[in-house]
Amino acid sequence: MMVTNAARFGTEKAAEPLRRVHRAGTHLLGLINQVLDLSKIEAGKLELNPESVSLAPLIDEVVGTARQLAEQNKNRLVVEAEEKLGALTVDPMRLRQILLNLLSNACKFTTQGEVKLRVHKVMDRRNWIEFAVADTGIGMTAAQQAKLFEEFTQADASTAQRYGGTGLGLAITRKLARMMGGDVTVASEPGKGSVFTVRLPGRIDAPARGSSEDIKPQAGDAGARDSGMEAAS
């Protein structure tokens, strides 16, 4: 509000310092929320609230928010969603959190390129919905990918210094996906971009409304993890 009304009150010179304060405050609030989420997950206290959600309106809402992020680096945001996706039994707030985190990362690490969200159904012994976020950004090496989903970890020091971030977003994203019976995987190549894929079941069959106590280790979790990009701030 103060930034918006700076010209009206004759305080244009204060506009940029106010923007910096606002950005710092937003970053700090995001960090606090991520730490709280992680603490709840690790303590087994974070519970999901699954409900039947129509995917088309949720995707439109997420894309509307992400489009502003894409424009900051002059990126083109493309959506390819299968028709008649129908409803998904999921915690809508947590699904938005997952998708916005991946889209935010893609927009941050891509400049004057393309960020694409693909959504489609997959039949693999059961019904799945796949959300894939692809970008034409900086990409990652295998070594960077191996530690990506670890908490408070980013691709490398130079990436953290240039792009910022907390190193928590992807760790939380994977944990939330697993709480909902799915997972997050990634494919990436330096200089060619990355593709993050979230696969969720058509229904969440988890006791206690999806408590984080129900997270089970996935195959291959010990040692090298699936590859990906650093967490968004």
Side-chain angles (χ1 to χ4, degrees), residues 192-203:
K192 295 188 177 181
S194 304
V195 181
F196 285 86
T197 303
V198 181
R199 178 180 280 200
L200 297 176
R203 296 187 61 85

Side-chain angles (χ1 to χ4, degrees), residues 138-166:
I138 62 175
M140 289 166 294
T141 65
Q144 290 172 328
Q145 297 171 34
K147 60 183 181 180
L148 195 70
F149 289 99
E150 297 174 8
E151 295 144 17
F152 296 103
T153 300
Q154 296 175 315
D156 56 36
S158 61
T159 300
Q161 184 176 10
R162 180 177 177 183
Y163 294 97
T166 63

